[in-house]
Amino acid sequence: MTYKLSQRSQKIKPSPTLTLSAKAQSLKAAGQPVLNLAVGEPDFDTPEHIKAAAIKAIQDGFTKYTAVEGIMPLREAIVQKFKTENNISYHANQVMVSCGGKQVFYNLAQAYLNEGDEVLIPAPYWVSYPDMVLLANATPKVIETSVETAHKLTPALLEAALSPKTKMLVLNSPSNPSGMAYTLAELKALAEVLKKYPDVLVVSDDIYEHSLWSMDFANIVMADPSFQDRTLVLNGVSKTYAMTGWRIGYAAGPTELIQAMGMIQSQSTSNPCSIAQKAALAALTGPQDFLATSRNIFKKRHDTLIQQLNKIPGIHCTPSDGTFYTFPSVEGVLRNHPQLADDLALSNYLLQKALLAVVPGSAFGSPGHLRLSFATSDAVLEESVTRLAEALATIQA
Ligand code: PLP
C-alpha cells in the first residue's frame, strides 16, 4: 500500500544531532575507529545514590501509573530547587514533570500555539525548537545573531523581530550549541524591550544551568521578577545529573499554562516513568557535590580544547561560558578551501577522512560553524584535535 503520511510529519526532519551521532556509532560498530564529538550528553555515569533510589523503587513495587504531572514529593522537590537555587517561589501546581525537557517544550507548543503564531528563536538554537513549533502548526521566526555579540540576542535584534504576531520567545542560557550565557544585566535589558509586548510568553530553557563557570546563573525571572507570570521555565535532570536516558524534565510557570500542558501530556504519554521519577527525586534532594565536580571537569577540558583549536588555521573559537560544547567559526577554513562548499561539506569530509564526527552549524541555524562536544575523555579530545588539524592540512585542491 502507499502510505499517505500526514502533512505534519512531512514538515519536520529527524534531529540532525541524533542522526549524526547514530552515523558515527554505526561506523564504530563496523569496526572503524570513529571519534564522536557529536554527542549531546555528559560522559559520566549517573551517581550511585540516584541509581540506588531507582533500584529501591523497583524493589518496593513503585511500578504503576503515577499522577500525570509527576509524584507530589518530586514536584515539591522542584519547588524547593527553584526557591533555593533561583530564589523563585512556585506552588506545586505551578510545576510539572515530563519525559525530558524535550517533552516540556512539546507540551508547551501544543498547549499554547496556534496557526499563524510566531515564535522567536535566536540562532544558533537547539535543533528541536523549530520542529516542535512546526508540529504545533505555528511559525518559527529565527533571529540571526553574530560572533560579535557572542551569538546572543541583543535588545536591538529583539526589538526588530517582535511583531503583533509574536506569541513566544525562546531563551536558552547557557546555550546549546554556542555555550554562551546571558548575564543578569543582559537579561534585564531584554526584559525592558519585552515589556512593550506584554502578551509575549518567554520560554527560559535552563537545562544547562549547572554547567556554567564564567558567571552566576540567571534567567529572565531572576533578572526581572515581574516576568514570573509570563515565563515558562524548562529544566531537567538529564544534563545536570548525567541522566539523559532516564527521561525526566520539568516545567515551572503560570498555573493555567501548566494545567493545559498537563492535559496534553495526559492524552499523549501520561506520567513519566515512575522509577525515573524516584531517581530524579534522589538527584534533587541528595548530595550535590557531583555538580561542581562535573562542571570543573568540563571547564578544564574546555580550556585545553579552545586553546588547541584556536591554533588551527581558519578556526576561531570564542570561549564558552558553560555547557560541554564549543561552537567555533570555520569560515576561515571554508574561505581557504573553496572545494568545501559549506559547513555540511566540511563535517562530512571530517567524518570520511578523519573519522571525526562533529555537527555542522547549519543544523543549529548558524552556517559557517561546527559544534564540538567535549563530553568525552581528554585522550579522545587530544586525538580529535590532531585528526582535525591533519585533515584540514591535507585537503586536496
Ligand atoms: N534543551 C536543550 C537546549 C537541550 O540541548 C536539550 C537536549 O539536548 C534539551 C532541552 C532536552 O533534554 P532532555 O529531553 O534530555 O531533558
Side-chain angles (χ1 to χ4, degrees):
M1 106 173 233
T2 10
Y3 296 97
K4 289 198 177 136
L5 298 177
S6 70
Q7 289 170 354
R8 191 180 315 108
S9 76
Q10 292 173 62
K11 272 190 198 172
I12 58 167
K13 54 190 183 317
S15 158
T17 42
L18 294 183
T19 309
L20 204 97
S21 225
K23 211 159 144 186
Q25 272 160 16
S26 71
L27 275 171
K28 210 169 185 169
Q32 303 269 31
V34 174
L35 300 178
N36 189 357
L37 302 195
V39 287
E41 59 186 351
D43 51 319
F44 315 122
D45 198 4
T46 305
E48 285 305 321
H49 70 279
I50 299 176
K51 291 198 226 171
I55 292 165
K56 183 166 184 321
I58 296 173
Q59 285 168 343
D60 290 350
F62 195 75
T63 52
K64 303 285 165 59
Y65 292 133
T66 73
V68 169
E69 306 78 13
I71 55 174
M72 197 40 96
L74 178 54
R75 289 165 75 194
E76 279 164 356
I78 293 165
V79 167
Q80 192 55 40
K81 174 256 175 277
F82 280 112
K83 187 74 219 147
T84 49
E85 292 183 353
N86 310 111
N87 196 26
I88 312 175
S89 299
Y90 291 107
H91 294 295
N93 63 1
Q94 292 177 300
V95 303
M96 70 174 283
V97 188
S98 299
C99 304
K102 195 173 236 173
Q103 195 188 17
V104 169
F105 194 90
Y106 183 83
N107 287 339
L108 173 67
Q110 294 295 319
Y112 199 60
L113 300 175
N114 284 313
E115 194 164 350
D117 289 342
E118 285 184 357
V119 178
L120 302 185
I121 306 176
Y125 48 72
W126 178 42
V127 293
S128 297
Y129 300 135
D131 289 65
M132 287 195 273
V133 168
L134 287 171
L135 278 176
N137 291 328
T139 309
K141 192 167 165 188
V142 172
I143 310 177
E144 276 181 39
T145 63
S146 62
V147 178
E148 286 70 43
T149 63
H151 289 303
K152 288 189 265 189
L153 186 60
T154 61
L157 287 171
L158 175 60
E159 185 101 54
L162 281 157
S163 84
K165 286 189 182 165
T166 311
K167 185 91 185 271
M168 212 159 93
L169 162 72
V170 182
L171 290 177
N172 169 219
S173 172
S175 150
N176 171 14
S178 76
M180 299 304 172
Y182 289 93
T183 64
L184 195 72
E186 286 167 342
L187 290 165
K188 277 185 203 288
L190 294 177
E192 279 315 307
V193 175
L194 287 165
K195 279 181 179 163
K196 290 179 240 164
Y197 293 81
D199 294 330
V200 173
L201 183 84
V202 183
V203 188
S204 180
D205 182 343
D206 299 357
I207 205 130
Y208 293 95
E209 170 178 8
H210 286 284
S211 317
L212 177 65
W213 48 74
S214 72
M215 64 181 87
D216 286 335
F217 174 79
N219 65 25
I220 197 158
V221 183
M222 295 160 78
D224 187 332
S226 74
F227 272 66
Q228 187 168 351
D229 70 355
R230 54 180 293 193
T231 302
L232 192 285
V233 179
L234 177 164
N235 209 324
V237 297
S238 292
K239 318 282 176 176
T240 307
Y241 300 98
M243 290 177 71
T244 45
W246 299 77
R247 309 309 302 130
I248 296 289
Y250 53 87
T255 316
E256 213 178 323
L257 198 53
I258 293 288
Q259 270 170 358
M261 289 166 64
M263 210 142 63
I264 299 288
Q265 186 162 301
S266 77
Q267 297 295 20
S268 48
T269 59
S270 298
N271 62 275
C273 167
S274 60
I275 300 150
Q277 289 190 64
K278 284 281 191 181
L281 177 60
L284 289 175
T285 56
Q288 300 295 309
D289 48 316
F290 177 78
L291 307 189
T293 310
S294 51
R295 182 171 51 243
N296 291 340
I297 293 172
F298 286 140
K299 161 89 168 77
K300 211 161 149 257
R301 288 176 187 168
H302 161 270
D303 292 353
T304 313
L305 182 63
I306 298 292
Q307 202 196 23
Q308 289 174 344
L309 287 174
N310 274 333
K311 286 186 196 153
I312 301 176
I315 293 195
H316 175 71
C317 257
T318 313
S320 303
D321 294 313
T323 73
F324 37 81
Y325 308 112
T326 176
F327 196 62
S329 161
V330 288
E331 264 158 14
V333 173
L334 298 174
R335 249 195 321 272
N336 296 342
H337 303 286
Q339 63 273 49
L340 292 172
D342 51 24
D343 55 314
L344 270 153
L346 175 58
S347 87
N348 271 329
Y349 170 75
L350 292 173
L351 190 57
Q352 302 304 329
K353 169 86 194 246
L355 293 173
L356 178 64
V358 295
V359 191
S362 36
F364 310 95
S366 292
H369 295 79
L370 295 177
R371 188 193 76 173
L372 281 68
S373 160
F374 42 91
T376 188
S377 70
D378 292 338
V380 167
L381 289 173
E382 201 179 317
E383 172 67 15
S384 299
V385 173
T386 307
R387 286 195 199 177
L388 178 60
E390 274 172 18
L392 294 182
T394 55
I395 293 177
Q396 303 294 319

